[in-house]
Structure formats: C-alpha cells, structure tokens
Amino acid sequence: MDPRYPIGKFEWPETVTPAMRAEFVQDIAATPARLREAVSGLTDRQLDTPYREGGWTVRQVVHHVADSHLNMYVRLRLALTEDVPTIKPYDESKWAGLHDAKTLPVEVSLQLLESLHHRWVALMQSMPDDEFLRTFRHPEHGEVRLDRITAMYSWHGKHHAAHITELRNRMNWK
C-alpha cells in the first residue's frame, strides 16, 4: 500500500447521480467526527509525528483539512452566487508549513470543522439538483462542476483520516 493514498487515489466521476451525491454529502457530514476519532487520545508527541516519511505531521494533516474544507465552502458559495467565478488557489504545502498549522492544538481545527461542516452540509442539502451543475473555474484545473467536487471532498476527508488511522495501526497506538 502507498502510504500517500491509504484509500487509493481519487478518481473523478464522469456522472454523479442524486443517490451518489447524497452519499458524498453524508461522507462530508461525517468528516469532523471521523477526524476527531482518528486523533482521539493521541499525545502531542504523537500528533507531531509525520504520517509517512517526508509527510506532514498528524497535527498538520488536521489543520490542512480545515484549511482545505474552508476554501471549498467559500468556493461553493461563490459558484452559487456568481456565474462561473474564477477561484483563487492556495499553496497547501506552504499553508501547512505556517506556525499555526505546526503548533496549535488540533482541537481548534476540529471545532472549526464541526461548525463549518454543519453549514456546508445544510447548504448542500438545501440545493436543488440543478445547482449541483453550477461551476467555478480553477486557474490550474479549468471548470469544475459542484457535483463532481462534492465527490472529491467526500474522498478528501476519508483520505486524510486514513492517513492518521494507518499511522496509528503501524505504530500500534491504541
């Protein structure tokens, strides 16, 4: 198994059915609890352990998920209120290297994720099917449809929680 992709690489779905989308939204709703469970009981020393050689620490992973999902929430709102807005990308590695991402307690981002996901999921559950066909333009990846990016963020939360749980398994941390 490649420790970079403990649940496999993300594959963009060609089509997204309403049933698939509902599952993706449920996965997004479960992300904060999944991450909280993954880090439960870890010491600061364990939180400062890279999940793989050359990778981010567990602490940085948790803060990264908050950064990434906050950006996606804003992108969703832009796509719902503007015609094909061009979003601003960010350098996730540089964000993960900032002092707060390397030192703050993970609880800060876990609480942020709980509130953020509450709003994000409520918004997605209120959206009619046609709004999931709206798009934003990513300068590096082109036009991205909301139903397909929902699939990606369904994967993203599980992907990073698995980084932590796989590390716990390898290190025999109970």
Side-chain angles (χ1 to χ4, degrees):
M1 179 196 64
D2 183 342
R4 293 174 303 167
Y5 301 102
I7 64 168
K9 288 185 178 183
F10 177 71
E11 294 184 22
W12 290 99
E14 285 302 313
T15 60
V16 177
T17 66
M20 290 168 66
R21 189 175 64 239
E23 185 177 324
F24 298 150
V25 171
Q26 284 309 112
D27 288 338
I28 291 168
T31 294
R34 186 177 283 125
L35 272 178
R36 183 174 289 285
E37 183 178 334
V39 300
S40 178
L42 294 180
T43 66
D44 278 335
R45 191 171 121 304
Q46 291 168 326
L47 290 169
D48 292 329
T49 302
Y51 75 90
R52 67 173 174 85
E53 189 175 329
W56 293 334
T57 67
V58 171
R59 185 182 312 274
Q60 288 172 296
V61 168
V62 173
H63 293 312
H64 159 73
V65 173
D67 291 341
S68 175
H69 291 203
L70 184 59
N71 271 281
M72 185 52 229
Y73 175 71
V74 170
R75 292 169 179 178
L76 170 71
R77 294 182 71 82
L78 289 170
L80 291 174
T81 59
E82 299 177 19
D83 290 329
V84 194
T86 298
I87 58 94
K88 179 158 181 14
Y90 69 101
D91 186 327
E92 64 184 30
S93 293
K94 287 183 179 178
W95 282 41
L98 292 172
H99 183 75
D100 65 325
K102 293 166 83 173
T103 62
L104 279 179
V106 294
E107 185 62 26
V108 173
S109 283
L110 292 172
Q111 288 179 15
L112 172 62
L113 282 166
E114 287 167 352
S115 295
L116 173 65
H117 279 238
H118 186 86
R119 288 210 43 204
W120 186 9
V121 168
L123 178 57
M124 288 188 294
Q125 289 174 335
S126 75
M127 290 167 51
D129 290 346
D130 65 321
E131 285 187 338
F132 281 94
L133 301 178
R134 295 184 65 89
T135 61
F136 60 78
R137 184 174 321 286
H138 191 291
E140 298 162 3
H141 305 293
E143 205 165 315
V144 181
R145 208 170 59 216
L146 293 181
D147 62 352
R148 295 179 75 217
I149 201 73
T150 302
M152 200 273 258
Y153 276 85
S154 162
W155 171 86
H156 190 256
K158 293 184 286 190
H159 165 71
H160 285 302
H163 282 146
I164 299 165
T165 57
E166 288 300 315
L167 173 64
R168 286 184 83 129
N169 291 338
R170 283 193 316 275
M171 301 297 281
N172 201 27
W173 294 339
K174 300 297 176 195

